[in-house]
Amino acid sequence: MDSKYKTGLTNGYSPQKSGPSQDDGHLPKKFRSDDSTHSKGYSSVSISKHRRSLPVFAVKSRLLEEINNHSTLIIIGETGSGKTTQIPQYIHDARLEKSGAIAITQPRRVAAITVALRVATEMGSPIGHGVGYAVRFEDVTSPETKLKYLTDGMLLREALIDNLLMSYNVIILDEAHERTIHTDVLFGIVKQAQSIRRAKNFKPLKVILMSATMDVDHFSSYFDDAPVVYLQGRQFPVNIMQALKSHEDYNFAILVTVFQIHREAPPNEDILVFLTGQEEIEAMVYSARLVAKDLMKSGPQLRVLPLYAALAQFQQLEVLRPGLPCSRKLILSTNIAETSITIPGVKYVIDSGMVKLRTHNPTTGMDSLKVQRISKAQAWQRAGRAGREGPGTCYRMYTDEEYNNMAEMTVPEIQRCNLSGVVLQLLAMGVNALSFDFMDRPPVESIMEAMKKLSYLSAIISINRPELTPLGHQMAAFPLDPHYSRVILAARDMGCVEEVVTLVAVLSGENLRVTVSKRREDAASAHQKFASPTGDHITNLNIFRAYNSASMKKQFCFDNFLNNRNLEYAAGVRSQLLDLCRHSNIPISSCGQDRDCIRKCLIAGLFGNLAQLQREGHYLTVGSNQVVAIHPSSVLFRSKPPLVIYGEVVQTGRCYMRQVSSIDPEWVNHIAPPDFQRKINACLNASM
Ligand code: CDP
Ligand code: MG
């Protein structure tokens, strides 16, 4: 059957022999479980039968013994073997957490929420009671919560209040291989908490690291040679089909492959496609639905389902549900589906080979979201998703040569990201990042650069005296990037807290406007109603205001081509942020019609994100001289003001600024920090 695909496509593939199952072959198989107990989906079988069928169940008692005997343990097992949902329940059933609670961290909020809901169902308890979750801007726990699923960022915030994390007797750092910046900091925090608690004869803290695949020796040696337990997962062979030539436009090649599979494969064999982000996914959802409607008059129904972090919960759950009879699911996902979420029914994986990563350039000081090649480890992890329930196939949109050029492992986020948030949080815990026990130390230049930024933001006394100022303490209280916390604190002084908090809430979610639509022009004219000549920030504020006062919100969004769920999310975040302001004694002021102060507040935090129009028609970032352009989705795309401030830079071929507003150069002089002002003025004068 595979050879059929090999020859039938316009863009050919060549099969590759080794698969993830062989890749994992070197792992010492300490524990084994019986593959024959495997059950497909869980709707038709009882929950307890499903739980017993998971690979981890077969080794439950031995696993508990290991957990009981060691203060730190590393558990490695394939995605779907039951680590995240089962192990915390086993620990709780055996009461190993004693009087404390069990924290289980997840790098993604989606995973924390869906897993907690699943475990609550399995335990037959309403969410928020025995099992709960805490993600940024949402806390569904109570004093009786014993199993608390939370994002790594949330546990880190808890460590700000109590760095010994005394409410937990067991902490599970899950998906440890993802090496998010927060997980990496937590490694050091829990290690330190464990040893201080031991030294002071406090309740002992048990630390468990769980992961699909990772560099075990590195982890084990950092955690004082912690023992490693391998779970024998079930991984069926996956046939790897590598592209014969490289694709300029992998989106098209993916669609061709999808419909080829759809025409030829039996229904109920689902397809999982790995793409880079929400917009790309929504665009492909749209095209795939159109093609399916036009071409597929007969044959099984194709249900096209997106999956990305910002998606509403019910839509995410839709993906996890077993398929309908005689239909096929096509799931278009970000790297979310690589390890943290297990999707039943997948038989085919199509891997674009790309991922969107936040990277930071310490030389230019610029942060950007960059679409780039995945690592080899990710490529195998993605392919493995096709072999969860039986033999499968993975189509790679990249050639053998492109594969060979990939890095072995993804560089940990802490070594490639802007550290100002982490450095601030560590300082709030009384720790200097320069002397912190990192598993992999970030470059000293990055730490120093973060200190410099914090000093510009007046969060620390100086680089030489990295102690938090009162302003710095207030900034650390917000679960936001310090630049945005600074913007909110500036709003306190300028009397526009309500407006600025609304803006920040909108920015912490996804795009408010629906851009992919058959009625592009209608959408554009609907959006025009909200447009502000000053830029995207005030435009977003206008959108939110109109939404907030609409009585029929869904209908309002539909009529105006706005994204209801993103607006709903923003509304939730806004009310949380307003609560936080009240907690910090920040009055909720409003500037009414005099709105210039809103953009002035932006300068107070984002002074490093200014760009100036050049005679040649492009923009140069102030201070770092990078060529950038206004993103076509910005309301300022055609107007090109002389000086702009931006929220982020997205690199897709060109560097595009997003969330752009125009800025009066006069304002900069009054608001940006004095040292930085000199830098800005030098640039502004040079180009006059
Ligand atoms: O953590 P690991 O990848 O080892 O597995 P898990 O997340 O504990 O998932 C074990 C099984 O539970 C999956 O294969 C799914 O069948 C099921 N599950 C589910 O039905 N719904 C969820 N939200 C999570 C897991
Ligand atoms: Mg898991």
Side-chain angles (χ1 to χ4, degrees):
M1 166 158 151
D2 295 307
S3 57
K4 194 161 60 183
Y5 291 115
K6 212 168 41 186
T7 51
L9 294 170
T10 38
N11 306 290
Y13 298 93
S14 75
Q16 250 220 7
K17 287 212 175 52
S18 61
S21 50
Q22 293 180 15
D23 219 41
D24 289 347
H26 64 281
L27 298 178
K29 299 295 187 302
K30 195 166 170 189
F31 293 155
R32 293 194 164 268
S33 70
D34 184 7
D35 279 358
S36 62
T37 54
H38 171 61
S39 63
K40 268 194 184 152
Y42 48 81
S43 63
S44 54
V45 293
S46 70
I47 280 177
S48 73
K49 197 166 163 200
H50 169 79
R51 290 189 62 195
R52 284 197 298 272
S53 77
L54 291 168
V56 72
F57 180 75
V59 296
K60 176 175 170 181
S61 56
R62 290 178 60 192
L63 196 53
L64 278 171
E65 210 176 292
E66 298 278 349
I67 294 172
N68 199 22
N69 291 344
H70 298 101
S71 56
T72 307
L73 189 68
I74 298 173
I75 302 175
I76 308 280
E78 251 306 324
T79 305
S81 44
K83 299 183 299 300
T84 311
T85 54
Q86 306 306 306
I87 291 175
Q89 293 189 67
Y90 297 168
I91 295 175
H92 177 60
D93 292 345
R95 298 292 185 268
L96 295 184
E97 82 280 12
K98 303 202 174 87
S99 59
I102 308 168
I104 310 102
T105 67
Q106 298 290 314
R108 298 188 179 82
R109 57 183 283 134
V110 190
I113 299 170
T114 55
V115 167
L117 290 170
R118 170 73 192 176
V119 174
T121 311
E122 290 189 2
M123 289 174 56
S125 99
I127 190 77
H129 291 230
V131 188
Y133 65 86
V135 298
R136 194 165 74 142
F137 304 125
E138 206 182 345
D139 186 344
V140 187
T141 61
S142 59
E144 73 204 73
T145 301
K146 281 293 204 173
L147 272 68
K148 182 163 169 184
Y149 287 87
L150 73 183
T151 52
D152 45 14
M154 286 304 289
L155 188 60
L156 201 54
R157 296 212 71 80
E158 292 188 8
L160 274 182
I161 298 158
D162 171 18
N163 65 357
L164 296 184
L165 295 159
M166 291 299 286
S167 49
Y168 304 107
N169 286 345
V170 181
I171 293 181
I172 303 179
L173 301 179
D174 201 357
E175 307 284 337
H177 66 283
E178 288 235 359
R179 305 290 308 268
T180 64
I181 204 160
H182 291 143
T183 302
D184 261 33
V185 176
L186 279 175
F187 290 152
I189 299 285
V190 298
K191 193 177 157 184
Q192 177 188 296
Q194 193 182 45
S195 85
I196 297 178
R197 279 164 67 163
R198 190 180 296 132
K200 294 196 170 171
N201 247 338
F202 290 167
K203 302 182 297 180
L205 174 63
K206 204 174 271 304
V207 175
I208 302 174
L209 295 121
M210 302 202 299
S211 170
T213 43
M214 69 180 180
D215 185 355
V216 173
D217 295 341
H218 190 45
F219 275 71
S220 173
S221 73
Y222 175 76
F223 283 100
D224 306 321
D225 298 321
V228 183
V229 167
Y230 295 93
L231 305 174
Q232 167 71 25
R234 35 174 126 78
Q235 178 65 51
F236 295 88
V238 175
N239 204 1
I240 306 284
M241 308 297 268
Q242 208 104 28
L244 291 176
K245 64 179 179 57
S246 56
H247 295 297
E248 290 265 312
D249 176 7
Y250 64 73
N251 283 288
F252 178 72
I254 288 174
L255 278 174
V256 172
T257 310
V258 163
F259 284 96
Q260 174 121 15
I261 297 170
H262 187 51
R263 261 198 309 275
E264 298 176 4
N268 290 95
E269 292 189 349
D270 299 339
I271 309 171
L272 170 63
V273 180
F274 284 101
L275 294 167
T276 61
Q278 174 172 357
E279 270 170 49
E280 188 180 56
I281 288 172
E282 288 297 351
M284 194 175 289
V285 165
Y286 181 70
S287 318
R289 282 185 184 151
L290 273 188
V291 178
K293 209 161 117 202
D294 288 356
L295 292 183
M296 301 290 155
K297 299 274 187 268
S298 59
Q301 185 205 357
L302 186 70
R303 292 169 58 224
V304 187
L305 304 169
L307 180 63
Y308 47 82
L311 205 60
Q313 206 168 298
F314 76 93
Q315 278 176 303
Q316 284 163 8
L317 294 177
E318 186 69 31
V319 170
L320 296 175
R321 221 167 283 156
L324 306 171
C326 257
S327 81
R328 185 191 319 285
K329 283 198 285 186
L330 166 64
I331 302 124
L332 306 172
S333 174
T334 59
N335 56 348
I336 260 189
E338 253 170 42
T339 57
S340 32
I341 290 182
T342 312
I343 305 166
V346 173
K347 185 96 172 164
Y348 301 92
V349 164
I350 305 178
D351 178 10
S352 65
M354 306 303 271
V355 67
K356 200 192 276 176
L357 279 188
R358 184 169 295 284
T359 49
H360 179 71
N361 181 339
T363 326
T364 59
M366 264 174 67
D367 247 351
S368 62
L369 270 175
K370 196 169 161 190
V371 173
Q372 57 193 63
R373 281 247 174 260
I374 55 172
S375 65
K376 285 181 186 162
Q378 273 178 296
W380 287 116
Q381 194 57 44
R382 288 181 176 191
R385 304 299 97 234
R388 296 299 314 145
E389 301 180 351
T393 306
C394 171
Y395 293 92
R396 290 178 167 169
M397 295 294 122
Y398 40 91
T399 63
D400 236 349
E401 197 189 342
E402 284 164 328
Y403 170 77
N404 288 329
N405 287 335
M406 286 176 183
E408 294 296 326
M409 295 270 176
T410 314
V411 179
E413 203 178 18
I414 199 134
Q415 294 190 323
R416 59 179 158 81
C417 273
N418 173 359
L419 295 180
S420 33
V422 163
V423 170
L424 180 74
Q425 284 204 328
L426 284 173
L427 283 173
M429 282 183 245
V431 180
N432 184 335
L434 286 171
S435 53
F436 187 67
D437 177 18
F438 285 107
M439 181 183 291
D440 288 290
R441 186 159 288 289
V444 174
E445 306 87 82
S446 301
I447 298 179
M448 290 316 292
E449 196 215 330
M451 297 266 192
K452 204 153 118 192
K453 279 204 177 125
L454 292 176
S455 127
Y456 279 147
L457 288 167
S458 311
I460 58 172
I461 296 174
S462 73
I463 300 181
N464 301 325
R465 256 188 84 191
E467 293 159 35
L468 291 191
T469 59
L471 192 68
H473 278 291
Q474 288 170 321
M475 282 163 63
F478 285 92
L480 295 170
D481 180 285
H483 297 90
Y484 283 100
S485 317
R486 183 72 186 82
V487 171
I488 291 182
L489 291 165
R492 172 190 56 186
D493 303 337
M494 296 199 210
C496 50
V497 171
E498 193 275 326
E499 286 83 0
V500 164
V501 161
T502 304
L503 272 189
V504 173
V506 166
L507 290 176
S508 65
E510 299 281 332
N511 205 347
L512 301 185
R513 290 173 290 175
V514 175
T515 45
V516 187
S517 164
K518 248 192 279 189
R519 295 160 56 204
R520 240 169 234 275
E521 269 151 37
D522 293 343
S525 74
H527 294 158
Q528 194 54 38
K529 286 202 294 277
F530 309 106
S532 158
T534 65
D536 298 320
H537 295 96
I538 305 292
T539 302
N540 280 339
L541 190 60
N542 292 341
I543 293 176
F544 187 87
R545 285 266 160 87
Y547 165 83
N548 215 23
S549 56
S551 49
M552 313 267 281
K553 297 202 172 359
K554 263 200 176 140
Q555 187 62 39
F556 170 81
C557 288
F558 182 81
D559 293 343
N560 290 288
F561 299 85
L562 297 173
N563 191 316
N564 183 42
R565 76 180 102 92
N566 291 354
L567 274 155
E568 235 171 67
Y569 177 79
V573 173
R574 176 174 172 272
S575 77
Q576 298 278 331
L577 283 176
L578 289 174
D579 281 348
L580 272 170
C581 285
R582 289 185 200 106
H583 258 285
S584 309
N585 292 325
I586 299 175
I588 313 302
S589 51
S590 166
C591 60
Q593 288 312 305
D594 180 19
R595 290 170 147 198
D596 281 357
C597 55
I598 300 172
R599 282 176 296 145
K600 289 181 186 167
C601 291
L602 291 176
I603 303 175
L606 303 176
F607 51 85
N609 293 1
L610 291 167
Q612 197 185 14
L613 183 65
Q614 306 298 303
R615 263 184 228 107
E616 298 79 12
H618 62 260
Y619 281 85
L620 273 189
T621 57
V622 172
S624 48
N625 285 331
Q626 297 285 303
V627 176
V628 287
I630 295 180
H631 195 275
S633 67
S634 166
V635 292
L636 294 183
F637 179 57
R638 289 182 208 289
S639 61
K640 291 199 173 182
L643 184 65
V644 295
I645 200 159
Y646 58 84
E648 63 180 0
V649 169
V650 189
Q651 201 172 333
T652 40
R654 290 179 78 178
C655 285
Y656 284 110
M657 298 179 280
R658 308 188 68 159
Q659 304 136 22
V660 189
S661 281
S662 72
I663 290 293
D664 183 337
E666 276 299 307
W667 298 344
V668 177
N669 277 322
H670 304 291
I671 301 163
D675 285 352
F676 209 84
Q677 258 171 42
R678 275 193 282 281
K679 215 167 168 178
I680 298 170
N681 285 335
C683 285
L684 298 186
N685 294 336
S687 63
M688 291 256 174

